[in-house]
Coordinates of all heavy atoms in Angstrom, one line a residue:
M1 N 11.0 -35.6 -39.6 CA 11.4 -34.5 -38.8 C 12.2 -33.5 -39.7 O 13.3 -33.7 -40.0 CB 12.3 -35.0 -37.7 CG 13.4 -34.1 -37.2 SD 14.4 -34.7 -35.9 CE 15.5 -35.7 -36.7
P2 N 11.5 -32.5 -40.2 CA 12.2 -31.5 -41.1 C 13.2 -30.6 -40.4 O 13.0 -30.1 -39.3 CB 11.0 -30.7 -41.6 CG 9.8 -31.2 -41.0 CD 10.1 -32.2 -40.0
L3 N 14.3 -30.4 -41.1 CA 15.3 -29.5 -40.7 C 14.8 -28.1 -41.0 O 14.5 -27.8 -42.2 CB 16.6 -29.7 -41.4 CG 17.8 -28.7 -41.1 CD1 18.3 -28.9 -39.7 CD2 18.9 -28.9 -42.1
I4 N 14.6 -27.2 -40.1 CA 14.1 -25.9 -40.4 C 15.1 -24.8 -40.4 O 14.9 -23.7 -41.0 CB 12.9 -25.5 -39.4 CG1 13.4 -25.4 -38.0 CG2 11.7 -26.4 -39.6 CD1 12.3 -24.8 -37.0
S5 N 16.3 -25.1 -39.8 CA 17.4 -24.1 -39.8 C 18.7 -24.7 -39.3 O 18.6 -25.8 -38.7 CB 17.0 -22.9 -38.9 OG 17.9 -21.8 -39.2
S6 N 19.8 -24.1 -39.7 CA 21.1 -24.5 -39.1 C 22.0 -23.3 -39.1 O 21.9 -22.4 -40.0 CB 21.7 -25.6 -40.0 OG 21.9 -25.2 -41.3
F7 N 22.8 -23.2 -38.0 CA 23.7 -22.1 -37.9 C 24.8 -22.5 -36.9 O 24.6 -23.2 -35.9 CB 23.0 -20.8 -37.4 CG 22.1 -21.0 -36.2 CD1 22.5 -21.0 -34.9 CD2 20.7 -21.3 -36.5 CE1 21.7 -21.2 -33.9 CE2 19.9 -21.5 -35.4 CZ 20.3 -21.4 -34.1
Y8 N 26.0 -22.1 -37.2 CA 27.2 -22.4 -36.4 C 27.3 -23.9 -35.9 O 27.6 -24.1 -34.8 CB 27.2 -21.4 -35.2 CG 27.2 -20.0 -35.6 CD1 26.1 -19.2 -35.3 CD2 28.2 -19.4 -36.3 CE1 26.0 -17.9 -35.7 CE2 28.2 -18.1 -36.7 CZ 27.1 -17.3 -36.4 OH 27.1 -16.0 -36.7
G9 N 26.9 -24.8 -36.8 CA 27.0 -26.2 -36.4 C 25.8 -26.7 -35.7 O 25.7 -27.9 -35.4
V10 N 24.8 -25.9 -35.4 CA 23.6 -26.3 -34.7 C 22.5 -26.6 -35.7 O 22.3 -25.8 -36.6 CB 23.1 -25.2 -33.7 CG1 21.8 -25.6 -33.1 CG2 24.2 -24.8 -32.7
L11 N 21.9 -27.7 -35.6 CA 20.8 -28.1 -36.5 C 19.5 -28.0 -35.7 O 19.4 -28.5 -34.6 CB 21.0 -29.5 -37.0 CG 22.3 -29.9 -37.7 CD1 22.4 -31.3 -38.0 CD2 22.5 -29.0 -38.9
I12 N 18.5 -27.4 -36.3 CA 17.2 -27.1 -35.7 C 16.1 -27.9 -36.4 O 16.0 -27.7 -37.6 CB 16.8 -25.6 -35.6 CG1 17.9 -24.8 -35.0 CG2 15.5 -25.5 -34.9 CD1 18.2 -25.0 -33.5
Y13 N 15.4 -28.7 -35.7 CA 14.3 -29.6 -36.3 C 13.0 -29.3 -35.6 O 13.0 -28.8 -34.4 CB 14.7 -31.0 -36.1 CG 15.9 -31.5 -36.8 CD1 17.1 -31.5 -36.2 CD2 15.8 -32.0 -38.1 CE1 18.2 -31.9 -36.9 CE2 16.9 -32.4 -38.8 CZ 18.1 -32.4 -38.2 OH 19.2 -32.8 -38.9
M14 N 11.9 -29.6 -36.3 CA 10.6 -29.5 -35.7 C 9.9 -30.8 -36.2 O 9.8 -31.0 -37.4 CB 9.8 -28.2 -36.2 CG 8.6 -28.0 -35.4 SD 7.7 -26.5 -35.8 CE 8.8 -25.3 -35.0
Y15 N 9.4 -31.6 -35.3 CA 8.8 -32.8 -35.6 C 7.3 -32.5 -36.0 O 6.7 -31.6 -35.4 CB 8.8 -33.8 -34.5 CG 10.2 -34.3 -34.1 CD1 10.5 -34.3 -32.7 CD2 11.1 -34.7 -35.0 CE1 11.8 -34.7 -32.3 CE2 12.3 -35.2 -34.6 CZ 12.7 -35.2 -33.3 OH 13.9 -35.6 -32.9
F16 N 6.7 -33.4 -36.8 CA 5.3 -33.3 -37.1 C 4.5 -34.0 -36.0 O 5.0 -35.0 -35.4 CB 5.0 -34.0 -38.4 CG 5.5 -33.3 -39.7 CD1 6.4 -33.9 -40.5 CD2 5.1 -32.1 -40.0 CE1 6.9 -33.3 -41.6 CE2 5.6 -31.4 -41.1 CZ 6.5 -32.0 -41.9
M17 N 3.4 -33.5 -35.6 CA 2.5 -34.1 -34.6 C 3.2 -34.3 -33.3 O 2.9 -35.3 -32.6 CB 1.9 -35.4 -35.2 CG 1.4 -35.3 -36.6 SD 0.0 -34.2 -36.8 CE -1.4 -35.3 -36.4
D18 N 4.1 -33.5 -32.9 CA 5.0 -33.7 -31.7 C 4.4 -33.0 -30.5 O 4.9 -32.0 -30.0 CB 6.4 -33.2 -32.0 CG 7.4 -33.5 -31.0 OD1 7.1 -34.4 -30.1 OD2 8.4 -32.9 -30.9
T19 N 3.3 -33.5 -29.9 CA 2.7 -32.9 -28.8 C 2.6 -33.8 -27.6 O 2.1 -33.5 -26.5 CB 1.3 -32.4 -29.1 OG1 0.5 -33.4 -29.6 CG2 1.3 -31.3 -30.1
R20 N 3.1 -35.1 -27.7 CA 2.9 -36.0 -26.6 C 3.8 -35.8 -25.4 O 3.3 -35.7 -24.3 CB 3.1 -37.4 -27.2 CG 1.9 -37.8 -28.1 CD 2.0 -39.2 -28.7 NE 2.2 -40.2 -27.6 CZ 2.9 -41.3 -27.8 NH1 3.5 -41.5 -29.0 NH2 3.1 -42.2 -26.9
Q21 N 5.1 -35.7 -25.6 CA 6.0 -35.6 -24.5 C 6.1 -34.2 -24.0 O 6.1 -34.0 -22.8 CB 7.4 -36.1 -24.9 CG 8.4 -36.2 -23.7 CD 9.7 -36.7 -24.1 OE1 10.0 -37.0 -25.3 NE2 10.6 -36.9 -23.1
H22 N 6.3 -33.3 -24.9 CA 6.4 -31.8 -24.5 C 5.2 -31.2 -25.0 O 5.0 -31.0 -26.2 CB 7.7 -31.2 -25.1 CG 8.9 -32.0 -24.8 ND1 9.5 -32.1 -23.6 CD2 9.6 -32.8 -25.6 CE1 10.6 -32.9 -23.7 NE2 10.6 -33.3 -24.9
H23 N 4.3 -30.7 -24.1 CA 3.0 -30.2 -24.5 C 3.0 -28.8 -24.9 O 2.0 -28.2 -25.4 CB 2.0 -30.4 -23.3 CG 1.9 -31.9 -22.9 ND1 1.2 -32.8 -23.7 CD2 2.3 -32.5 -21.9 CE1 1.2 -34.0 -23.1 NE2 1.9 -33.8 -22.0
T24 N 4.2 -28.1 -24.8 CA 4.3 -26.8 -25.2 C 5.0 -26.7 -26.6 O 5.8 -27.6 -26.9 CB 5.1 -26.0 -24.2 OG1 5.1 -24.6 -24.5 CG2 6.5 -26.5 -24.1
P25 N 4.7 -25.7 -27.4 CA 5.4 -25.6 -28.7 C 7.0 -25.5 -28.5 O 7.4 -24.8 -27.6 CB 4.9 -24.2 -29.2 CG 3.6 -24.1 -28.6 CD 3.7 -24.6 -27.2
H26 N 7.7 -26.3 -29.2 CA 9.1 -26.4 -29.0 C 9.9 -26.8 -30.3 O 9.2 -27.2 -31.3 CB 9.4 -27.5 -27.9 CG 8.9 -28.8 -28.3 ND1 7.6 -29.2 -28.1 CD2 9.5 -29.9 -28.9 CE1 7.5 -30.5 -28.5 NE2 8.6 -30.9 -29.0
I27 N 11.2 -26.7 -30.2 CA 12.0 -27.1 -31.3 C 13.1 -28.1 -30.7 O 13.3 -28.1 -29.5 CB 12.8 -26.0 -32.0 CG1 13.5 -25.0 -31.0 CG2 11.8 -25.1 -32.8 CD1 14.9 -25.2 -31.0
H28 N 13.7 -28.9 -31.6 CA 14.7 -29.8 -31.2 C 16.0 -29.3 -31.8 O 16.1 -29.0 -33.0 CB 14.4 -31.2 -31.8 CG 13.2 -31.8 -31.2 ND1 13.3 -32.8 -30.2 CD2 11.9 -31.6 -31.4 CE1 12.0 -33.1 -29.9 NE2 11.2 -32.4 -30.6
A29 N 17.1 -29.2 -31.0 CA 18.4 -28.7 -31.5 C 19.4 -29.9 -31.3 O 19.4 -30.6 -30.3 CB 18.8 -27.5 -30.7
M30 N 20.3 -30.0 -32.3 CA 21.4 -30.9 -32.2 C 22.7 -30.3 -32.5 O 22.8 -29.4 -33.4 CB 21.1 -32.1 -33.2 CG 19.9 -32.8 -32.9 SD 19.6 -34.1 -34.2 CE 18.0 -34.7 -33.6
Y31 N 23.7 -30.7 -31.8 CA 25.1 -30.1 -32.0 C 26.1 -31.1 -31.5 O 26.1 -31.4 -30.3 CB 25.2 -28.8 -31.2 CG 26.6 -28.2 -31.3 CD1 27.0 -27.5 -32.4 CD2 27.5 -28.3 -30.3 CE1 28.3 -26.9 -32.5 CE2 28.7 -27.8 -30.4 CZ 29.1 -27.1 -31.5 OH 30.4 -26.5 -31.6
Q32 N 26.9 -31.6 -32.4 CA 28.0 -32.5 -32.1 C 27.7 -33.6 -31.0 O 28.4 -33.7 -30.0 CB 29.2 -31.7 -31.7 CG 29.8 -30.8 -32.8 CD 31.1 -30.1 -32.4 OE1 31.5 -30.2 -31.2 NE2 31.6 -29.4 -33.3
G33 N 26.6 -34.3 -31.3 CA 26.3 -35.4 -30.4 C 25.3 -35.0 -29.2 O 24.8 -35.8 -28.5
Y34 N 25.2 -33.7 -29.0 CA 24.2 -33.2 -28.0 C 22.9 -33.0 -28.6 O 22.7 -32.6 -29.8 CB 24.7 -31.8 -27.5 CG 25.9 -31.8 -26.7 CD1 27.1 -31.6 -27.3 CD2 25.9 -32.0 -25.3 CE1 28.3 -31.5 -26.5 CE2 27.0 -32.0 -24.5 CZ 28.2 -31.8 -25.1 OH 29.4 -31.7 -24.4
E35 N 21.8 -33.3 -27.9 CA 20.5 -33.0 -28.3 C 19.7 -32.4 -27.2 O 19.8 -32.7 -26.0 CB 19.8 -34.4 -28.7 CG 20.4 -35.0 -29.8 CD 19.7 -36.3 -30.3 OE1 18.4 -36.4 -30.1 OE2 20.3 -37.2 -30.8
A36 N 18.9 -31.4 -27.6 CA 18.1 -30.7 -26.5 C 16.8 -30.2 -27.2 O 16.6 -30.1 -28.4 CB 18.8 -29.5 -26.0
V37 N 15.8 -29.9 -26.3 CA 14.5 -29.4 -26.7 C 14.3 -28.0 -26.0 O 14.6 -27.9 -24.8 CB 13.4 -30.4 -26.2 CG1 12.0 -29.8 -26.5 CG2 13.6 -31.8 -26.8
F38 N 13.9 -27.1 -26.8 CA 13.8 -25.7 -26.3 C 12.3 -25.2 -26.5 O 11.8 -25.5 -27.6 CB 14.7 -24.7 -27.0 CG 16.1 -24.9 -26.7 CD1 16.9 -25.8 -27.4 CD2 16.7 -24.2 -25.7 CE1 18.2 -26.0 -27.1 CE2 18.1 -24.3 -25.4 CZ 18.8 -25.3 -26.1
A39 N 11.7 -24.6 -25.5 CA 10.4 -24.0 -25.7 C 10.4 -22.8 -26.6 O 11.4 -22.0 -26.5 CB 9.8 -23.6 -24.3
I40 N 9.4 -22.7 -27.5 CA 9.4 -21.5 -28.4 C 8.9 -20.3 -27.6 O 9.5 -19.2 -27.9 CB 8.4 -21.8 -29.6 CG1 9.0 -22.9 -30.5 CG2 8.2 -20.6 -30.4 CD1 8.1 -23.5 -31.5
D41 N 8.0 -20.4 -26.7 CA 7.5 -19.2 -26.1 C 8.5 -18.6 -25.1 O 8.5 -17.3 -24.9 CB 6.1 -19.5 -25.4 CG 6.2 -20.6 -24.3 OD1 7.2 -21.3 -24.3 OD2 5.2 -20.7 -23.6
T42 N 9.3 -19.4 -24.4 CA 10.2 -18.8 -23.4 C 11.7 -19.0 -23.8 O 12.5 -18.4 -23.1 CB 10.0 -19.5 -22.1 OG1 10.3 -20.9 -22.2 CG2 8.6 -19.3 -21.6
A43 N 12.0 -19.8 -24.7 CA 13.4 -20.2 -25.1 C 14.1 -21.0 -24.0 O 15.3 -21.2 -24.1 CB 14.2 -19.0 -25.5
D44 N 13.3 -21.5 -23.1 CA 13.9 -22.3 -22.0 C 14.3 -23.7 -22.5 O 13.6 -24.3 -23.4 CB 12.9 -22.5 -20.9 CG 12.6 -21.3 -20.0 OD1 13.5 -20.4 -20.1 OD2 11.6 -21.2 -19.4
L45 N 15.3 -24.3 -22.0 CA 15.8 -25.6 -22.2 C 14.8 -26.5 -21.5 O 14.7 -26.5 -20.3 CB 17.2 -25.9 -21.8 CG 17.8 -27.3 -21.9 CD1 17.9 -27.6 -23.4 CD2 19.1 -27.4 -21.2
L46 N 14.0 -27.4 -22.2 CA 13.0 -28.2 -21.6 C 13.6 -29.6 -21.3 O 13.1 -30.3 -20.4 CB 11.8 -28.4 -22.6 CG 11.0 -27.2 -22.9 CD1 10.0 -27.5 -23.9 CD2 10.4 -26.6 -21.7
D47 N 14.5 -30.1 -22.2 CA 15.0 -31.5 -22.0 C 16.3 -31.6 -22.8 O 16.6 -30.9 -23.7 CB 13.9 -32.4 -22.7 CG 14.2 -33.9 -22.3 OD1 14.9 -34.2 -21.3 OD2 13.6 -34.7 -23.0
G48 N 17.1 -32.5 -22.3 CA 18.4 -32.8 -22.9 C 19.5 -32.0 -22.4 O 19.4 -31.3 -21.4
K49 N 20.7 -32.1 -23.0 CA 21.9 -31.4 -22.6 C 22.4 -30.7 -23.9 O 22.4 -31.2 -25.0 CB 22.9 -32.3 -22.0 CG 22.5 -33.0 -20.8 CD 23.6 -33.8 -20.2 CE 23.1 -34.5 -18.9 NZ 23.5 -33.9 -17.7
F50 N 23.0 -29.5 -23.6 CA 23.5 -28.7 -24.7 C 24.7 -27.8 -24.2 O 24.5 -27.4 -23.0 CB 22.4 -27.8 -25.3 CG 22.3 -27.8 -26.8 CD1 22.2 -29.0 -27.5 CD2 22.4 -26.6 -27.5 CE1 22.1 -28.9 -28.9 CE2 22.4 -26.6 -28.9 CZ 22.2 -27.8 -29.6
P51 N 25.7 -27.6 -24.9 CA 26.8 -26.8 -24.4 C 26.3 -25.3 -24.2 O 25.4 -24.8 -24.9 CB 27.8 -26.8 -25.6 CG 27.5 -28.0 -26.4 CD 26.0 -28.2 -26.2
P52 N 26.8 -24.7 -23.1 CA 26.3 -23.3 -22.8 C 26.4 -22.3 -23.9 O 25.4 -21.6 -24.1 CB 27.3 -22.9 -21.6 CG 27.7 -24.2 -21.0 CD 27.8 -25.2 -22.2
K53 N 27.4 -22.3 -24.7 CA 27.5 -21.3 -25.8 C 26.5 -21.6 -26.8 O 25.8 -20.6 -27.3 CB 28.9 -21.4 -26.4 CG 29.1 -20.4 -27.6 CD 30.5 -20.5 -28.2 CE 30.6 -19.6 -29.4 NZ 31.9 -19.7 -30.0
Q54 N 26.3 -22.8 -27.2 CA 25.3 -23.1 -28.2 C 23.8 -22.9 -27.6 O 22.9 -22.6 -28.4 CB 25.5 -24.6 -28.7 CG 26.6 -24.7 -29.7 CD 28.0 -24.5 -29.1 OE1 28.2 -24.8 -27.9 NE2 28.9 -24.1 -29.9
T55 N 23.7 -23.2 -26.4 CA 22.4 -22.9 -25.7 C 22.0 -21.4 -25.9 O 20.9 -21.1 -26.3 CB 22.4 -23.3 -24.2 OG1 22.6 -24.7 -24.1 CG2 21.1 -22.9 -23.5
R56 N 23.0 -20.5 -25.6 CA 22.7 -19.1 -25.7 C 22.4 -18.7 -27.2 O 21.6 -17.9 -27.5 CB 23.9 -18.3 -25.2 CG 24.0 -18.4 -23.7 CD 25.1 -17.4 -23.1 NE 26.4 -17.6 -23.6 CZ 27.3 -18.5 -23.1 NH1 26.9 -19.3 -22.1 NH2 28.5 -18.7 -23.6
L57 N 23.1 -19.3 -28.1 CA 22.9 -19.1 -29.6 C 21.4 -19.5 -29.9 O 20.7 -18.7 -30.6 CB 23.9 -19.8 -30.5 CG 25.3 -19.3 -30.4 CD1 26.2 -20.3 -31.2 CD2 25.4 -17.9 -31.0
V58 N 21.0 -20.7 -29.5 CA 19.7 -21.2 -29.8 C 18.6 -20.3 -29.2 O 17.6 -19.9 -29.8 CB 19.5 -22.6 -29.4 CG1 18.0 -23.1 -29.5 CG2 20.4 -23.5 -30.2
Q59 N 18.9 -19.9 -28.0 CA 17.9 -19.0 -27.3 C 17.8 -17.6 -27.9 O 16.7 -17.1 -28.1 CB 18.3 -18.9 -25.8 CG 18.0 -20.2 -25.0 CD 18.6 -20.2 -23.6 OE1 19.6 -19.6 -23.3 NE2 17.9 -20.9 -22.8
A60 N 18.9 -17.1 -28.4 CA 18.9 -15.8 -29.1 C 18.1 -15.9 -30.4 O 17.3 -15.1 -30.8 CB 20.3 -15.3 -29.3
W61 N 18.4 -17.0 -31.1 CA 17.7 -17.3 -32.4 C 16.2 -17.4 -32.2 O 15.4 -16.9 -33.0 CB 18.3 -18.5 -33.0 CG 17.6 -19.0 -34.3 CD1 17.8 -18.4 -35.5 CD2 16.7 -20.0 -34.4 NE1 17.0 -19.1 -36.4 CE2 16.4 -20.1 -35.8 CE3 16.1 -20.9 -33.6 CZ2 15.5 -21.0 -36.3 CZ3 15.2 -21.8 -34.1 CH2 14.9 -21.9 -35.4
I62 N 15.8 -18.1 -31.1 CA 14.4 -18.3 -30.8 C 13.7 -16.9 -30.6 O 12.7 -16.6 -31.1 CB 14.1 -19.2 -29.6 CG1 14.4 -20.6 -30.0 CG2 12.7 -19.1 -29.2 CD1 14.5 -21.6 -28.8
E63 N 14.4 -16.0 -29.8 CA 13.9 -14.7 -29.5 C 13.7 -13.9 -30.8 O 12.7 -13.2 -31.0 CB 14.8 -13.9 -28.6 CG 15.0 -14.5 -27.2 CD 13.7 -14.4 -26.4 OE1 12.9 -13.5 -26.6 OE2 13.5 -15.3 -25.5
L64 N 14.6 -14.0 -31.8 CA 14.6 -13.3 -33.0 C 13.5 -13.9 -34.0 O 13.0 -13.1 -34.8 CB 15.9 -13.3 -33.7 CG 17.0 -12.5 -33.0 CD1 18.4 -12.8 -33.7 CD2 16.8 -11.0 -33.1
R65 N 13.3 -15.1 -33.9 CA 12.5 -15.8 -34.9 C 11.2 -16.4 -34.4 O 10.5 -17.2 -35.0 CB 13.3 -17.0 -35.6 CG 14.5 -16.5 -36.3 CD 14.2 -15.7 -37.5 NE 15.5 -15.2 -38.1 CZ 15.7 -13.9 -38.4 NH1 14.7 -13.1 -38.3 NH2 16.8 -13.5 -38.9
R66 N 10.8 -16.0 -33.2 CA 9.6 -16.6 -32.5 C 8.4 -16.6 -33.4 O 7.6 -17.6 -33.4 CB 9.3 -15.8 -31.2 CG 8.2 -16.5 -30.4 CD 8.1 -16.0 -29.0 NE 9.2 -16.6 -28.2 CZ 10.1 -15.9 -27.5 NH1 10.1 -14.6 -27.5 NH2 11.0 -16.5 -26.8
E67 N 8.1 -15.5 -34.0 CA 6.8 -15.4 -34.8 C 6.8 -16.5 -35.9 O 5.8 -17.2 -36.1 CB 6.7 -14.0 -35.5 CG 5.4 -13.8 -36.1 CD 5.2 -12.3 -36.5 OE1 5.5 -11.4 -35.7 OE2 4.9 -12.1 -37.7
E68 N 8.0 -16.7 -36.6 CA 8.1 -17.7 -37.6 C 8.0 -19.1 -37.0 O 7.4 -20.0 -37.6 CB 9.4 -17.6 -38.4 CG 9.5 -16.3 -39.2 CD 11.0 -16.0 -39.5 OE1 11.4 -16.6 -40.5 OE2 11.6 -15.3 -38.8
L69 N 8.6 -19.3 -35.9 CA 8.5 -20.6 -35.2 C 7.1 -21.0 -34.8 O 6.7 -22.1 -34.9 CB 9.5 -20.6 -34.0 CG 11.0 -20.5 -34.4 CD1 11.8 -20.3 -33.1 CD2 11.4 -21.8 -35.1
V70 N 6.4 -20.0 -34.3 CA 5.0 -20.2 -33.9 C 4.2 -20.6 -35.1 O 3.3 -21.6 -35.0 CB 4.4 -19.0 -33.1 CG1 2.9 -19.1 -33.0 CG2 5.1 -18.8 -31.8
A71 N 4.4 -20.0 -36.2 CA 3.7 -20.3 -37.4 C 4.0 -21.7 -37.9 O 3.1 -22.5 -38.3 CB 4.0 -19.3 -38.5
D72 N 5.3 -22.1 -37.8 CA 5.7 -23.4 -38.2 C 5.1 -24.5 -37.3 O 4.7 -25.5 -37.7 CB 7.2 -23.6 -38.2 CG 7.8 -23.3 -39.6 OD1 7.1 -23.0 -40.5 OD2 9.1 -23.4 -39.7
W73 N 5.0 -24.1 -36.0 CA 4.5 -25.1 -35.0 C 3.0 -25.4 -35.3 O 2.5 -26.5 -35.3 CB 4.6 -24.5 -33.6 CG 4.0 -25.5 -32.6 CD1 2.8 -25.4 -32.0 CD2 4.6 -26.6 -32.0 NE1 2.6 -26.4 -31.1 CE2 3.7 -27.2 -31.1 CE3 5.8 -27.3 -32.2 CZ2 4.0 -28.4 -30.4 CZ3 6.1 -28.4 -31.5 CH2 5.2 -29.0 -30.7
S74 N 2.3 -24.3 -35.7 CA 0.9 -24.5 -36.1 C 0.7 -25.4 -37.2 O -0.2 -26.2 -37.3 CB 0.2 -23.1 -36.4 OG 0.2 -22.3 -35.3
L75 N 1.6 -25.3 -38.2 CA 1.6 -26.2 -39.3 C 2.0 -27.7 -38.9 O 1.3 -28.6 -39.3 CB 2.5 -25.7 -40.4 CG 2.2 -24.4 -41.1 CD1 3.3 -24.0 -42.0 CD2 0.9 -24.6 -41.9
A76 N 3.1 -27.8 -38.2 CA 3.6 -29.1 -37.8 C 2.6 -29.9 -37.0 O 2.5 -31.1 -37.2 CB 4.9 -28.9 -37.0
V77 N 1.9 -29.3 -36.1 CA 0.9 -30.1 -35.3 C -0.2 -30.6 -36.1 O -0.9 -31.6 -35.7 CB 0.4 -29.4 -34.0 CG1 1.6 -29.1 -33.1 CG2 -0.3 -28.1 -34.4
K78 N -0.4 -30.0 -37.3 CA -1.5 -30.5 -38.2 C -0.9 -31.5 -39.2 O -1.6 -31.9 -40.1 CB -2.1 -29.3 -38.9 CG -2.8 -28.3 -38.0 CD -3.3 -27.1 -38.8 CE -3.7 -26.0 -37.9 NZ -3.9 -24.8 -38.6
G79 N 0.4 -31.7 -39.1 CA 1.0 -32.6 -40.1 C 1.3 -32.0 -41.4 O 1.6 -32.7 -42.4
Q80 N 1.3 -30.7 -41.5 CA 1.5 -30.0 -42.7 C 3.0 -29.6 -42.9 O 3.7 -29.4 -41.8 CB 0.7 -28.7 -42.8 CG -0.8 -29.1 -42.8 CD -1.7 -27.8 -42.8 OE1 -1.2 -26.7 -42.6 NE2 -3.0 -28.0 -42.8
P81 N 3.5 -29.4 -44.1 CA 4.9 -29.0 -44.3 C 5.2 -27.7 -43.6 O 4.4 -26.8 -43.6 CB 5.0 -28.9 -45.8 CG 3.9 -29.7 -46.3 CD 2.8 -29.6 -45.3
V82 N 6.4 -27.6 -43.0 CA 6.8 -26.4 -42.3 C 7.8 -25.6 -43.3 O 8.3 -26.2 -44.2 CB 7.5 -26.7 -41.0 CG1 6.5 -27.3 -40.0 CG2 8.7 -27.6 -41.1
E83 N 8.0 -24.3 -43.0 CA 8.9 -23.5 -43.7 C 10.2 -23.4 -43.1 O 10.4 -23.6 -41.9 CB 8.3 -22.0 -43.8 CG 6.9 -21.9 -44.4 CD 6.9 -22.2 -45.9 OE1 7.9 -21.8 -46.6 OE2 6.0 -22.8 -46.4
R84 N 11.3 -23.2 -43.9 CA 12.6 -22.9 -43.4 C 12.6 -21.6 -42.6 O 11.9 -20.7 -43.0 CB 13.6 -22.9 -44.5 CG 13.8 -24.2 -45.2 CD 14.8 -25.1 -44.6 NE 16.2 -24.5 -44.5 CZ 17.2 -25.1 -44.0 NH1 17.1 -26.3 -43.6 NH2 18.4 -24.5 -43.9
V85 N 13.4 -21.5 -41.6 CA 13.5 -20.3 -40.8 C 14.9 -19.8 -41.0 O 15.9 -20.5 -40.9 CB 13.2 -20.5 -39.3 CG1 13.3 -19.3 -38.5 CG2 11.7 -21.1 -39.2
E86 N 15.1 -18.5 -41.2 CA 16.4 -17.8 -41.4 C 17.3 -18.1 -40.2 O 16.9 -18.0 -39.1 CB 16.2 -16.3 -41.6 CG 17.5 -15.6 -42.0 CD 17.3 -14.2 -42.2 OE1 16.2 -13.7 -42.5 OE2 18.3 -13.5 -42.1
P87 N 18.5 -18.5 -40.6 CA 19.5 -18.9 -39.5 C 20.0 -17.6 -38.8 O 19.8 -16.5 -39.2 CB 20.6 -19.5 -40.2 CG 20.6 -19.0 -41.6 CD 19.1 -18.7 -41.9
L88 N 20.7 -17.9 -37.7 CA 21.4 -16.8 -36.9 C 22.6 -16.5 -37.7 O 23.3 -17.3 -38.2 CB 21.7 -17.3 -35.5 CG 22.2 -16.3 -34.5 CD1 21.1 -15.3 -34.2 CD2 22.5 -17.1 -33.2
R89 N 22.9 -15.2 -37.9 CA 24.1 -14.8 -38.6 C 25.0 -13.9 -37.7 O 24.6 -13.2 -37.0 CB 23.7 -14.0 -39.8 CG 22.9 -14.9 -40.8 CD 22.6 -14.1 -42.1 NE 21.6 -14.8 -42.8 CZ 21.8 -15.7 -43.7 NH1 23.0 -16.1 -44.0 NH2 20.8 -16.2 -44.4

């Protein structure tokens, strides 16, 4: 599970070949013991729990970086290495 970005204590991961449980393109976010899954196309929280402030940060980051995330998703589902994505600043 490669780390693709981190900002303000939030770690963002994208798993390889990860289409079984969540059938939509998504990322995994972790923050101080919280874990959540967010859809790339809508930035919706799909699974898990996340603090409200960090949820808004992740959703804003997805909106800004959607094109890069979609490209990484295309690579990840094929089992290919993904690129780092610029963090939220």
Side-chain angles (χ1 to χ4, degrees):
M1 148 178 83
L3 176 70
I4 61 169
S5 195
S6 63
F7 48 88
Y8 304 113
V10 177
L11 304 175
I12 307 291
Y13 294 91
M14 190 175 286
Y15 297 132
F16 293 117
M17 312 296 274
D18 187 18
T19 58
R20 289 180 52 212
Q21 184 176 5
H22 309 286
H23 301 286
T24 187
H26 62 276
I27 52 106
H28 296 257
M30 297 178 186
Y31 176 79
Q32 295 185 356
Y34 291 93
E35 295 185 29
V37 176
F38 291 86
I40 293 171
D41 59 345
T42 62
D44 289 339
L45 177 67
L46 298 175
D47 193 18
K49 294 186 184 259
F50 226 57
K53 179 181 177 182
Q54 283 70 27
T55 295
R56 290 188 300 275
L57 289 172
V58 170
Q59 290 171 328
W61 176 78
I62 290 171
E63 295 294 334
L64 292 169
R65 303 289 178 229
R66 183 167 286 123
E67 192 173 306
E68 296 164 81
L69 293 169
V70 168
D72 267 359
W73 180 261
S74 295
L75 294 171
V77 296
K78 297 174 191 170
Q80 298 175 354
V82 295
E83 300 291 325
R84 294 272 302 179
V85 178
E86 187 175 336
L88 193 61
R89 297 185 196 270

